[in-house]
Amino acid sequence: MPVEFLGIAATNDGSETTPRSGASFDKEYTLRLARAHEEHGWDRVLFAYGSGSPDPAPAAAYLASRLERLQLLLAHRPNVSYPTFAAKTFATLDRISEGRLTVHFITGGNDHEQGREGDTLTKDERYARTREYIRVVKKIWTTHEPFDHEGEHYRFHDFVSDVFPVQQPRPKVSFGGSSPAAYAAGGAEADIYCLWGEPLERTAEQIEAVRAAAKAAGRTDVPRIQVAFRPIIAPTEELAWEKARRTVGAIRELGAAGLKGRHRTDAPQNTGSQRLIAIAEAGERYDRALWTATAAATGGAGNSNALVGTPETVAQALLDYYDLGVEIFSARGYDLLDDAIDFGRYVIPLVREEVAGRDAGRAAGGSRSLAAVGE
């Protein structure tokens, strides 16, 4: 099965280990980072969403008009715009990018963050709204006649868009979360289901939960699975672990200096972060290369579990997840630019080569089986 790699379309050079050096939207850096991904084997980049961050949609349009191959994953929160407006925005972006857009819908797992932009719904209400929102957007993308909608959260009449996506029948929908409500919503609506990196056993359990939710929703297919990690690589195992320890020290130092910014210090409300904290409390190292100290240092904030080792070790660790059914790997280092280049140079080719070899072996096996039947 195919394997893909997702990087980050950051609009500045700041990370958990380094304060940004300039404005929150640094146009030159944004383009430089995206080009590094395109030139080093990545498939797509994520335009993340934060209540006070630069708007990801025009940032995506900016890069789409300047890059030819790199695909775009646009994060979007349903609370910030009406689905009729959002569907047109997405379709326009798909036109600008010539069919390279995927949309990642964020329900929102933190009441405080949601409230910053006026969202006062409960978590369960937000999931219900997201499911309705996605269905409306899909219908707008694929319907050429005016229609009415009378839902729990949205009502409109006689709407039809005059801009449609390049991709047919529509762009892909991405979704994430680790709660039963998330599995139900994403299992029903997502083309791609996104998970944060956890130990292999727990990841297998989550994949099964997503597939069960898809079946319960009446689907005959299942979402593709994406898993996210923070790679820390070096030429030797010893150097990689030295780098890992320096990384955690820098995370703690930045947090102690009050510069952590987007990370809150109180207990997280979202299930995904709670799971990361629990895993870190139970142990620091899992499986081949998973390291939880980075997640512990950030309070389980977002994608924060690391894979530590040489490029060969990290590649084999990713292949362990591939064997579980993971098809898309999200990876973001702590030095955004240099780590994107190094991961693209030294890890991605190893994974692609191994996957190609396995696929060729399966195909050859299938051919031999068919030949035997023919005989």
Side-chain angles (χ1 to χ4, degrees):
M1 65 184 180
V3 64
E4 297 179 7
F5 291 90
L6 168 70
I8 189 70
T11 59
N12 61 72
D13 61 358
S15 75
E16 295 91 337
T17 61
T18 309
R20 73 178 189 232
S21 62
S24 61
F25 184 74
D26 181 333
K27 188 168 69 171
E28 287 72 26
Y29 181 84
T30 300
L31 181 57
R32 185 182 177 194
L33 179 61
R35 280 180 172 156
H37 283 85
E38 183 168 74
E39 292 169 359
H40 290 89
W42 298 78
D43 295 286
R44 60 170 58 87
V45 288
L46 167 67
F47 297 81
Y49 189 94
S51 59
S53 302
D55 187 344
Y62 167 66
L63 290 184
S65 65
R66 287 160 176 79
L67 301 175
E68 296 181 355
R69 182 190 62 80
L70 198 64
Q71 298 177 56
L72 317 172
L73 178 60
L74 179 70
H76 180 77
R77 287 182 184 165
N79 62 291
V80 300
S81 69
Y82 218 70
T84 50
F85 176 84
K88 293 185 297 180
T89 299
F90 304 148
T92 303
L93 275 171
D94 199 54
R95 287 277 158 188
I96 293 171
S97 67
E98 298 181 333
R100 287 179 282 153
L101 180 71
T102 299
V103 182
H104 180 68
F105 289 93
I106 303 173
T107 298
N110 183 283
D111 292 343
H112 180 269
E113 171 66 7
Q114 295 299 121
R116 283 172 165 164
E117 294 186 285
D119 188 6
T120 59
L121 296 186
T122 66
K123 185 177 180 180
D124 287 345
E125 290 171 337
R126 291 198 295 266
Y127 274 112
R129 177 182 61 191
T130 299
R131 292 183 72 165
E132 182 180 345
Y133 196 98
I134 293 173
R135 288 169 181 168
V136 170
V137 168
K138 287 179 178 177
K139 187 169 183 178
I140 292 170
W141 280 340
T142 56
T143 302
H144 293 258
E145 298 294 332
F147 70 95
D148 300 339
H149 178 78
E150 291 283 347
E152 180 181 358
H153 298 278
Y154 303 104
R155 297 173 179 83
F156 54 85
H157 305 284
D158 199 39
F159 181 82
V160 63
S161 177
D162 194 33
V163 56
F164 291 91
V166 170
Q167 298 178 75
Q168 293 299 315
R170 57 172 178 79
K172 296 292 189 292
V173 166
S174 172
F175 189 91
S178 297
S179 67
Y183 300 146
E189 300 296 338
D191 302 296
I192 299 169
Y193 199 97
C194 308
L195 302 169
W196 288 334
E198 296 187 4
L200 290 165
E201 182 179 358
R202 289 175 175 262
T203 300
E205 292 169 355
Q206 288 195 286
I207 292 173
E208 181 56 35
V210 172
R211 290 174 174 170
K215 183 178 180 180
R219 292 178 60 167
T220 57
D221 64 338
V222 294
R224 299 178 70 197
I225 301 296
Q226 172 184 303
V227 177
F229 301 99
R230 307 301 294 271
I232 301 175
I233 63 172
T236 69
E237 295 293 327
E238 181 180 6
L239 290 174
W241 285 103
E242 289 178 2
K243 182 179 178 181
R245 288 187 285 271
R246 288 196 306 271
T247 298
V248 166
I251 292 172
R252 291 171 177 160
E253 182 179 351
L254 193 60
L259 299 174
K260 198 178 291 185
R262 62 184 178 274
H263 301 308
R264 290 176 57 82
T265 57
D266 51 1
Q269 293 179 321
N270 64 302
T271 303
S273 291
Q274 292 169 1
R275 289 174 64 99
L276 294 187
I277 291 172
I279 291 167
E281 290 175 345
E284 190 172 276
R285 296 179 65 170
Y286 291 85
D287 304 320
R288 192 186 300 266
L290 189 71
W291 194 48
T292 67
T294 45
T298 61
N303 170 22
S304 51
N305 268 342
L307 291 178
V308 182
T310 63
E312 292 78 11
T313 295
V314 171
Q316 287 301 317
L318 293 173
L319 288 163
D320 291 338
Y321 288 89
Y322 174 82
D323 290 338
L324 295 180
V326 177
E327 297 182 49
I328 305 172
F329 294 109
S330 172
R332 172 166 53 100
Y334 291 94
D335 184 325
L336 300 179
L337 180 60
D338 288 348
D339 286 348
I341 294 171
D342 286 347
F343 189 87
R345 282 177 174 168
Y346 304 119
V347 178
I348 289 178
L350 294 176
V351 177
R352 291 199 193 281
E353 181 180 6
E354 179 64 25
V355 168
R358 293 182 186 187
D359 288 348
R362 292 190 190 99
S367 297
R368 285 193 295 272
S369 298
L370 290 174
V373 171
E375 293 171 358

